[in-house]
Amino acid sequence: MKKTICFGSWQGCLDNGLAERELSCLLAVAAGHTDKEIAQRDGLSPRSIKGRIEAAMHKLGVHKRPALVAEAMRRGLISPMIITLCAVLIGQSATNDNSFNRIRRPGERRIENRVAMRCVDAFQVAS
């Protein structure tokens, strides 16, 4: 079973070669926090946070923080939680047969009525 860590609106998976502290720092960087803010949250020095982030950069083979977040997302190590929520909602609506929960476009019923009326008209003309 995969162990996940959540920070703000981001989540990350621990089965990826990164240490737990490196992953939590990576998630905080993805959420837009500075080294000082992460250090205050974790009760560490900003220098040790910088070291954890640099270790994560080395493991992923990147040299800048935006590239670190992009590479981690590309490899599937981290993801915004909104993507997970959308996937769950889409999966739920696809398996739901309740007609009240079906998504309809505003004019869909009107188009169905128009097509039905044309069929009736065509039948009457042919008769």
Side-chain angles (χ1 to χ4, degrees), residues 69-120:
V69 174
E71 182 66 17
M73 287 182 68
R74 188 187 70 76
R75 293 187 185 190
L77 306 178
I78 64 171
S79 65
M81 290 180 71
I82 190 71
I83 291 174
T84 306
L85 178 64
C86 287
V88 168
L89 292 175
I90 289 170
Q92 182 183 9
S93 68
T95 60
N96 192 355
D97 291 334
N98 189 350
S99 62
F100 290 111
N101 292 336
R102 272 190 35 214
I103 298 172
R104 296 196 120 184
R105 283 177 261 166
E108 189 174 342
R109 175 63 72 182
R110 188 175 50 223
I111 293 170
E112 290 174 0
N113 289 340
R114 223 180 284 150
V115 170
M117 290 302 295
R118 284 183 185 161
C119 290
V120 169

Side-chain angles (χ1 to χ4, degrees), residues 16-114:
N16 55 30
L18 292 179
E20 186 174 353
R21 179 79 63 172
E22 292 168 351
L23 183 60
S24 71
C25 290
L26 171 59
L27 291 171
V29 168
H33 294 278
T34 64
D35 289 350
K36 190 174 182 180
E37 292 169 339
I38 301 168
Q40 287 175 349
R41 179 197 67 166
D42 292 346
L44 301 170
S45 72
R47 178 68 189 126
S48 64
I49 299 299
K50 185 176 181 181
R52 295 293 182 179
I53 294 170
E54 288 174 354
M57 284 184 195
H58 178 71
K59 288 181 181 179
L60 297 181
V62 295
H63 303 289
K64 300 202 182 252
R65 287 176 185 229
L68 173 66
V69 174
E71 182 66 17
M73 287 182 68
R74 188 187 70 76
R75 293 187 185 190
L77 306 178
I78 64 171
S79 65
M81 290 180 71
I82 190 71
I83 291 174
T84 306
L85 178 64
C86 287
V88 168
L89 292 175
I90 289 170
Q92 182 183 9
S93 68
T95 60
N96 192 355
D97 291 334
N98 189 350
S99 62
F100 290 111
N101 292 336
R102 272 190 35 214
I103 298 172
R104 296 196 120 184
R105 283 177 261 166
E108 189 174 342
R109 175 63 72 182
R110 188 175 50 223
I111 293 170
E112 290 174 0
N113 289 340
R114 223 180 284 150

